[in-house]
Amino acid sequence: EVESTSDINNSLKKLSRDSLLNLYKRSLLYFKKSDYKNVEREIVPIYNSNPNNLYIAILYAQTLTEQNNLDEALVVLNKIKNIYPHNSIISFTIAEILIENNINLNYAEKLMIKHEKNYKLNPNFLRLISKLYTLQNNMYKSSVFLSDYYVLLNNIDLAIEVLNNTIRSSKINNTQKKILLTKKERIICENPRRLQPLYGEKDCY
């Protein structure tokens, strides 16, 4: 409902504070307009009385993150992770904070890989894990996920460009180049044919 709300201020005026649901919705509305101080004002009381609520805890942690209170945000998330240790959304949120702020990348990688199957068709996951490997100077793995990201967005040309740039790099070995060449060929052959050059190498037919 909040996602589809266009007039945020009007919605806030009409929305009372008479229930947990309304308080959470008010917090989401303020978050949508990037008013993090008011998000915190709304959500802290309901978080304090409902610290085991998954949705409230995640929104509170995201609000803290947006205000650069990273340590406090991670404390909130790790507390809720102890209650729901197998929940992929919590792990993904923690990993996102770590990657976007370039901290504890090895732990972030463990969290991302653990839930890869759940998120392999999620463009944000592909973008984020590609960034993780870029920060770790792993050009090969970064290009694998970034090319998948562009394929998912139906931008085949950019996917091929990412792979070509990595294939030409001296930072990957011959085995990795062969794997990327195979991946490139598969992407080209499995997707609608692009505009073909008059001369030179052409795509699959």
Side-chain angles (χ1 to χ4, degrees):
E1 188 178 348
V2 169
E3 281 291 324
S4 62
T5 300
S6 55
D7 191 341
I8 298 175
N9 290 332
N10 187 49
S11 295
L12 284 165
K13 286 179 183 177
K14 294 179 178 179
L15 197 61
S16 66
R17 293 186 173 89
D18 60 356
S19 70
L20 180 62
L21 178 62
N22 281 352
L23 288 167
Y24 178 65
K25 186 177 176 183
R26 288 179 63 86
S27 303
L28 285 172
L29 286 164
Y30 278 121
F31 192 89
K32 186 174 181 179
K33 64 183 290 190
S34 302
D35 186 349
Y36 304 119
K37 290 295 183 184
N38 271 317
V39 180
E40 193 166 0
R41 179 173 61 84
E42 298 281 353
I43 206 168
V44 166
I46 60 173
Y47 172 75
N48 288 337
S49 57
N50 300 271
N52 297 341
N53 184 298
L54 177 67
Y55 304 100
I56 292 172
I58 288 178
L59 181 57
Y60 181 35
Q62 290 171 331
T63 303
L64 291 168
T65 301
E66 292 295 340
Q67 298 179 96
N68 292 317
N69 295 327
L70 303 183
D71 291 341
E72 195 173 344
L74 291 170
V75 167
V76 170
L77 289 170
N78 281 310
K79 281 182 180 178
I80 201 74
K81 189 175 186 298
N82 288 334
I83 300 170
Y84 307 105
H86 304 295
N87 186 284
S88 61
I89 297 173
I90 302 169
S91 295
F92 185 81
T93 305
I94 293 172
E96 185 173 25
I97 292 171
L98 297 177
I99 295 166
E100 294 293 1
N101 293 279
N102 194 12
I103 53 177
N104 206 350
L105 297 180
N106 290 335
Y107 179 55
E109 182 181 12
K110 288 180 181 178
L111 293 175
M112 296 291 278
I113 291 174
K114 182 179 178 181
H115 297 288
E116 184 177 348
K117 288 183 180 179
N118 296 327
Y119 286 95
K120 62 183 178 180
L121 296 179
N122 182 318
N124 195 36
F125 171 85
L126 295 172
R127 177 196 64 81
L128 200 61
I129 197 168
S130 174
K131 181 174 182 177
L132 165 69
Y133 286 123
T134 297
L135 292 170
Q136 291 181 330
N137 295 315
N138 191 328
M139 190 175 186
Y140 167 70
K141 286 188 176 181
S142 177
S143 68
V144 167
F145 287 104
L146 189 58
S147 60
D148 285 344
Y149 168 77
Y150 285 125
V151 168
L152 202 59
L153 296 184
N154 201 30
N155 195 330
I156 306 305
D157 287 338
L158 266 180
I160 299 303
E161 182 181 334
V162 167
L163 293 174
N164 281 337
N165 288 339
T166 307
I167 289 165
R168 289 192 292 265
S169 172
S170 60
K171 294 182 179 180
I172 66 171
N173 59 45
N174 288 333
T175 300
Q176 292 171 334
K177 285 185 181 182
K178 288 178 182 178
I179 294 171
L180 294 184
L181 282 166
T182 301
K183 184 177 180 67
K184 172 187 168 182
E185 183 178 347
R186 187 175 69 251
I187 289 172
I188 291 172
C189 295
E190 291 178 354
N191 288 276
R193 192 188 311 168
R194 302 175 301 161
L195 185 65
Q196 302 297 302
L198 291 176
Y199 304 100
E201 184 181 354
K202 295 179 173 60
D203 293 348
C204 296
Y205 292 98

